[in-house]
Amino acid sequence: MTRTDQDHLLSVENLRTTFDTDAGTLVAVDDVSFTVDEGETVCIVGESGSGKTVATESITRIVDEPPGRVEGTVRFRGQDLLEMTESELRDVRGNDIAHIFQNPQEAMNHCYTVGWQIVEAITVHEDVPREEAKARAIDLLDRVGIANASARFDDYPHEFSGGQKQRVMIAMALVGNPDLLIADEPTTALDVTVQAQILDLLAELQEEYGLGILFVTHDLGVVAEIADRVVVMYAGKVMERGNVMDIFDQPAHPYTQALLRCLPGKGNDAGGIPGSLPDPTDPPEGCRFASRCEHAVEACRTGTQPEDAEVGPDHYASCVYYHRGYDSSVVRDESLENDASSGGHGGELADD
């Protein structure tokens, strides 16, 4: 049975986000579609500059408009967020959809105590006495693993470690009891041990509250650990999407394969993908990845981005080699598939 938009917690269709710049119109997100269901984690992965962050910020329209312009359809529980007024959106932000940003150092106000900032977030969403809000704030700090939460309530952000700051940001995100959590590289600046603790915390909260999580990352090790489904983005376009096991065990798009080869021990000694992303103010015709793809033919460099082709159950790739008249075996990488079948995936992409 085909699922409708009402069946999904979040349904993004043909999302396009552009910015007016002195150099012309910058196309950051171009015709992107994906869904997130209740209680599942969808990871958006790709190199820096692929449009991952802008795509997630476009969902609740926290991009500056102007110079930004967001088009398409973004349905949350069946309601199109892009059709809402700013006042209606404010009710959704925080209450129904919450963001956790990459750098908690910049997201918090260092002139106020951590407790004061959480209380303010609570009173913005609910008309409750400050004493009640304070009790809830302490409970949230305790829930996210801040030891001696009541004593830390009056501490300032600079008195917390990086991992503790991220826990505080998660507490603030939970203030409105959201159904969807959008986490933008929340563990990038943390060491491996603290990163694991934050991921474990998010998993616990997801199980407890039934959260849907949209997780932006460039770390394929994190993807392998937490994702149910994966969306692979490149230069504003979706190259591949599917179940996490399919993405790792049978990567279909040459770009996905190139990302996987950047993992330690996968044979890419250069530590990155040769070439660079195309100019977002002058995107090329055809497949956005064609200039860096060893398999590219003339059809890859003309027209528009290839239509998604179903390469397996709920597994899609935007590549001409999966269309009629082409041999898909040309772009299949048996070495990656064999390595994955033996349990050899996981790890972080080289710095890009």
Side-chain angles (χ1 to χ4, degrees):
M1 182 176 68
T2 303
R3 303 190 71 171
T4 66
D5 288 337
Q6 282 73 20
D7 295 324
H8 298 293
L9 178 63
L10 177 74
S11 178
V12 176
E13 295 180 4
N14 310 120
L15 183 66
R16 178 179 169 86
T17 305
T18 59
F19 295 91
D20 292 328
T21 73
D22 292 339
T25 300
L26 187 153
V27 182
V29 176
D30 195 2
D31 197 26
V32 166
S33 300
F34 60 86
T35 62
V36 182
D37 294 329
E38 292 183 10
E40 81 162 346
T41 299
V42 174
C43 283
I44 302 182
V45 66
E47 294 171 279
S48 297
S50 293
K52 309 184 298 296
T53 292
V54 176
T56 57
E57 292 182 349
S58 299
I59 289 170
T60 53
R61 281 166 47 199
I62 60 175
V63 299
D64 291 332
E65 298 180 84
R69 179 178 176 84
V70 181
E71 301 170 286
T73 304
V74 179
R75 290 191 176 90
F76 178 76
R77 296 200 178 284
Q79 291 187 297
D80 190 349
L81 302 184
L82 301 191
E83 296 294 326
M84 288 185 175
T85 65
E86 181 61 28
S87 176
E88 291 170 330
L89 265 177
R90 278 198 296 268
D91 290 335
V92 172
R93 298 183 191 125
N95 283 324
D96 300 312
I97 303 175
H99 288 262
I100 302 172
F101 297 102
Q102 178 175 348
N103 191 345
Q105 186 80 9
E106 296 180 359
M108 285 192 281
N109 190 323
H110 289 257
C111 296
Y112 297 94
T113 66
V114 161
W116 186 92
Q117 293 181 64
I118 299 177
V119 166
E120 283 299 295
I122 292 171
T123 55
V124 164
H125 293 288
E126 296 181 50
D127 184 16
V128 296
R130 292 191 72 85
E131 282 304 309
E132 181 180 335
K134 178 178 179 179
R136 282 193 55 197
I138 292 172
D139 181 65
L140 282 169
L141 288 172
D142 180 69
R143 182 65 194 85
V144 298
I146 298 295
N148 302 316
S150 59
R152 303 302 306 272
F153 179 87
D154 291 321
D155 287 346
Y156 288 85
H158 73 268
E159 298 178 272
F160 289 77
S161 68
Q164 289 172 332
K165 288 189 183 79
Q166 197 57 278
R167 289 175 185 270
V168 171
M169 293 306 301
I170 294 172
M172 293 181 73
L174 295 174
V175 159
N177 296 314
D179 296 316
L180 176 65
L181 202 58
I182 299 177
D184 185 3
E185 302 266 18
T187 61
T188 295
L190 306 176
D191 66 44
V192 175
T193 301
V194 178
Q195 173 180 282
Q197 293 171 354
I198 295 298
L199 294 178
D200 288 343
L201 172 61
L202 288 174
E204 291 172 11
L205 294 171
Q206 182 176 45
E207 184 174 356
E208 181 176 347
Y209 296 108
L211 294 167
I213 296 179
L214 183 59
F215 198 103
V216 174
T217 184
H218 67 277
D219 187 337
L220 291 178
V222 170
V223 174
E225 181 177 346
I226 70 171
D228 295 302
R229 290 187 294 119
V230 182
V231 178
V232 181
M233 284 189 66
Y234 178 80
K237 291 281 192 181
V238 173
M239 299 290 110
E240 186 168 357
R241 53 191 171 92
N243 177 281
V244 63
M245 294 304 297
D246 290 334
I247 296 296
F248 277 92
D249 292 354
Q250 295 181 315
H253 198 282
Y255 177 60
T256 308
Q257 296 166 7
L259 290 178
L260 289 170
R261 290 191 204 102
C262 292
L263 294 173
K266 295 298 189 292
N268 188 342
D269 297 330
I273 305 171
S276 58
L277 279 84
D279 182 354
T281 63
D282 185 24
E285 291 188 359
C287 177
R288 294 281 166 86
F289 188 61
S291 65
R292 302 170 77 183
C293 180
E294 62 181 330
H295 305 294
V297 293
E298 186 59 27
C300 303
R301 301 185 180 93
T302 58
T304 59
Q305 183 73 32
E307 292 291 325
D308 279 350
E310 189 168 15
V311 298
D314 295 321
H315 183 190
Y316 300 87
S318 172
C319 178
V320 297
Y321 280 96
Y322 296 96
H323 289 207
R324 185 183 300 275
Y326 292 89
D327 180 5
S328 63
S329 66
V330 172
V331 293
R332 299 308 292 249
D333 191 326
E334 292 185 3
S335 66
L336 285 173
E337 295 177 9
N338 292 336
D339 184 64
S341 66
S342 63
H345 58 251
E348 186 168 354
L349 293 178
D351 184 15
D352 49 55

